[in-house]
């Protein structure tokens, strides 16, 4: 029986190949995906229970692997206060459109239209029941009541109230309920693709 010996330089290379990670490491995937989850948490929320859920080979892209994490967005402030903070953020964006209305005011016109349509689509199905719902939601938030009742021109009042309605509707779309208290959370997911290179796994850009 003949015995074949591996060349001295070949054996270490084979050993290294055997130790290569077949999937992105947990540290790399967490460091890449956690910022995505953090950006999902608006003012008054925090990311909680951030855990790897699954990973899979991307069948449409060679040497690409996708990793997904589960987490919760947890309220660290009362929900009405979160809605109010988001309303102010929407107003800030609207103010930018006012400062830079674009050619013939197209940017401002589009901002007005988008805000009005989004608010109307959420309000319309509620009909007359919205007033009672609003009063119950604002009951423990004096700042919300003051915001809603603040005086101004008809357009200013409409835009301000539409901003709060849109902020509230988006929180509801995320899964939050009007009665949710501090500590309540909604499930979310974030994922990212990774590419295998000669230097190992790297987060895929773009």
């Amino acid at each position: 029986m003949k015995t074949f010996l591996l060349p001295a330089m070949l054996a270490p290379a084979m050993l290294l190949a055997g130790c290569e990670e077949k999937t992105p490491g947990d540290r790399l995937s967490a460091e890449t995906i956690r910022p995505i989850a953090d950006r999902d948490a608006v003012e008054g929320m925090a990311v909680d229970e951030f855990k790897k859920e699954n990973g899979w080979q991307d069948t449409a892209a060679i040497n690409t692997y996708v990793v997904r994490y589960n987490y919760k967005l947890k309220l660290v402030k009362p929900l009405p206060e979160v809605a109010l903070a988001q309303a102010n953020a929407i107003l800030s964006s609207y103010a930018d459109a006012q400062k830079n209305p674009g050619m013939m005011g197209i940017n401002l016109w589009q901002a007005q239209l988008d805000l009005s349509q989004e608010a109307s689509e959420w309000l319309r199905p509620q009909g007359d029941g919205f007033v009672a719902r609003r009063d119950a939601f604002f009951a423990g938030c004096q700042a919300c009541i003051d915001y809603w009742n603040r005086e101004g021109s008809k357009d200013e009042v409409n835009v301000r109230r539409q901003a709060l309605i849109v902020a509230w509707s988006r929180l509801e779309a995320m899964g939050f309920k009007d009665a949710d208290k501090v500590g309540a959370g909604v499930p979310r997911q974030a994922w990212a693709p990774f590419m295998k290179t000669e230097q190992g796994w790297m987060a895929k850009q773009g």
Side-chain angles (χ1 to χ4, degrees):
M1 180 182 294
K2 293 183 179 180
T3 302
F4 295 93
L5 299 177
L6 292 173
M9 295 181 65
L10 181 58
M14 292 183 67
L15 288 172
L16 285 173
C19 294
E20 282 184 359
E21 290 183 316
K22 295 182 179 179
T23 62
D26 288 346
R27 180 176 178 180
L28 172 63
S29 60
E31 289 179 348
T32 301
I33 298 173
R34 179 58 190 249
I36 300 173
D38 288 338
R39 287 194 294 272
D40 195 26
V42 300
E43 182 180 342
M45 296 182 191
V47 174
D48 193 31
E49 299 179 24
F50 182 77
K51 295 179 182 178
K52 184 177 179 181
E53 185 257 338
N54 202 357
W56 62 91
Q57 185 72 40
D58 188 340
T59 56
I62 299 175
N63 292 331
T64 299
Y65 195 86
V66 180
V67 178
R68 183 169 63 203
Y69 275 70
N70 290 336
Y71 60 97
K72 284 186 177 181
L73 285 181
K74 184 175 68 174
L75 293 175
V76 295
K77 289 184 177 181
L79 188 61
E81 293 183 17
V82 177
L84 183 59
Q86 288 309 293
N88 284 322
I90 292 170
L91 285 180
S92 179
S93 295
Y94 186 84
D96 290 340
Q98 288 179 310
K99 293 176 183 176
N100 302 286
M103 186 176 295
M104 298 181 68
I106 187 65
N107 293 343
L108 180 57
W109 176 83
Q110 189 64 56
Q112 291 171 333
L113 180 63
D114 291 345
L115 190 63
S116 176
Q117 284 186 338
E118 190 171 352
S120 295
E121 287 175 3
W122 190 67
L123 280 176
R124 194 176 301 114
Q126 301 184 54
D128 295 338
F130 172 74
V131 174
R133 182 183 180 184
R134 179 202 63 197
D135 291 347
F137 188 61
F138 290 173
C141 180
Q142 185 59 47
C144 298
I145 297 172
D146 293 342
Y147 174 99
W148 189 269
N149 293 328
R150 190 186 312 155
E151 294 183 355
S153 69
K154 182 178 179 181
D155 287 345
E156 288 172 343
V157 170
N158 283 340
V159 168
R160 185 171 65 248
R161 291 180 176 180
Q162 286 170 355
L164 184 50
I165 289 166
V166 167
W168 186 0
S169 72
R170 291 176 181 176
L171 291 170
E172 182 181 78
M174 293 172 70
F176 287 105
K177 308 298 183 185
D178 291 1
D180 281 346
K181 306 298 183 184
V182 172
V186 295
R188 305 286 282 178
Q189 291 185 320
W191 56 89
F194 297 84
M195 180 172 60
K196 193 171 187 180
T197 70
E198 292 180 353
Q199 285 77 40
W201 288 98
M202 298 177 63
K204 201 169 182 178
Q205 302 299 318

